[in-house]
Amino acid sequence: MLQTHSLHKSFGTTVAVEKLDLGVSIGEIRGLLGPNGAGKSTAIRMICGVLAPNSGFVTIGGSNISSTPNAAKQLLGYVPEGAPLPLELLPIEYLKYSASMYGLVGNDRLSAIGYWAERCDITTVIRKPIGSLSRGFRQRVALAAALVHKPKLIVLDEPSTGLDPAQNASFRELLKEVSKDAAVIYSSHHLAEVEATCDVVSIINHGKLIFDGSFQS
């Protein structure tokens, strides 16, 4: 579902990501593991079309995210690090906007919002201003918005930020369920978290892929 092809990004003389080849298939949760500053977030931003590579390219479901961005992004659900959200909106308003952006209207939109609000456990706060919510609830609102159109590739950048242990456990269970029909890439610098959540792992350091496989390899 996801394939990066010799993805490369430099900022001046600093190489952030060097010729990264990375693949994720439907049914798989792939951890992207590395210390802070390893190049994970830069790689994620290029995968999601937020940042243009210096060379190389990204395909999602066979669509190049640079040359055919609409087709590629229709398959993509993305939760950036820190889950930035419009604090003045209510979650229900934000979810309606997100669903509409992917072409969901009428009863289809209401049904999708209701389903994911319940699955992400935000029904009790759905009509409270986002700015009044805890970091954990904001993270779950962002996740519901990323899932509302049933994407085939889900990209999560440090997704457990702000979640307490119980929320983290339910979040992992949700990801396991969602990954039955989607590919998931899970970026984190926490080894134990990636090991508990992911099927396979890609480790990067100084922008280079240094390991790619299972934890038993």
Side-chain angles (χ1 to χ4, degrees):
M1 179 50 61
L2 167 70
Q3 186 65 54
T4 72
H5 306 262
S6 296
L7 209 56
H8 191 91
K9 184 65 179 180
S10 298
F11 299 97
T13 58
T14 301
V15 177
V17 174
E18 185 172 351
K19 297 181 180 178
L20 179 65
D21 291 309
L22 187 70
V24 190
S25 303
I26 287 178
E28 181 178 79
I29 303 176
R30 177 170 291 276
L32 184 61
L33 180 67
N36 289 328
K40 300 186 304 299
S41 289
T42 299
I44 291 294
R45 291 179 187 127
M46 288 190 286
I47 286 169
C48 295
V50 176
L51 188 65
N54 295 122
S55 61
F57 61 97
V58 176
T59 56
I60 300 175
S63 295
N64 186 309
I65 200 158
S66 296
S67 60
T68 55
N70 290 341
K73 290 181 180 181
Q74 189 67 33
L75 300 172
L76 173 67
Y78 174 38
V79 179
E81 183 177 4
L85 298 171
L87 302 182
E88 70 280 3
L89 294 185
L90 309 179
I92 184 67
E93 294 171 332
Y94 183 63
L95 291 174
K96 285 179 179 177
Y97 171 77
S98 299
S100 298
M101 199 168 57
Y102 289 102
L104 292 173
V105 295
N107 289 334
D108 288 341
R109 184 176 73 168
L110 290 175
S111 177
I113 289 170
Y115 176 79
W116 289 111
E118 185 173 342
R119 292 298 296 114
C120 295
D121 196 21
I122 58 170
T123 55
T124 59
V125 300
I126 201 163
R127 297 189 182 277
K128 296 180 179 180
I130 292 172
S132 71
L133 304 182
S134 68
R135 289 180 70 181
F137 271 122
R138 290 184 198 179
Q139 193 77 13
R140 284 184 276 167
V141 170
L143 182 63
L147 295 172
V148 73
H149 62 297
K150 292 186 177 179
K152 291 300 182 182
L153 173 66
I154 300 156
V155 179
L156 308 169
D157 194 1
E158 300 286 354
S160 67
T161 303
L163 300 183
D164 63 33
Q167 292 169 344
N168 217 345
S170 64
F171 177 67
R172 283 197 297 268
E173 287 303 311
L174 176 60
L175 280 188
K176 295 287 186 185
E177 182 180 323
V178 168
S179 70
K180 293 175 183 177
D181 299 306
V184 179
I185 186 164
Y186 187 108
S187 176
S188 176
H189 62 279
H190 293 295
L191 173 60
E193 180 183 308
V194 169
E195 190 169 9
T197 307
C198 303
D199 308 310
V200 288
V201 62
S202 299
I203 301 175
I204 66 171
N205 196 24
H206 300 297
K208 294 182 180 180
L209 184 66
I210 60 172
F211 177 84
D212 191 57
S214 69
F215 286 97
Q216 287 73 41
S217 296

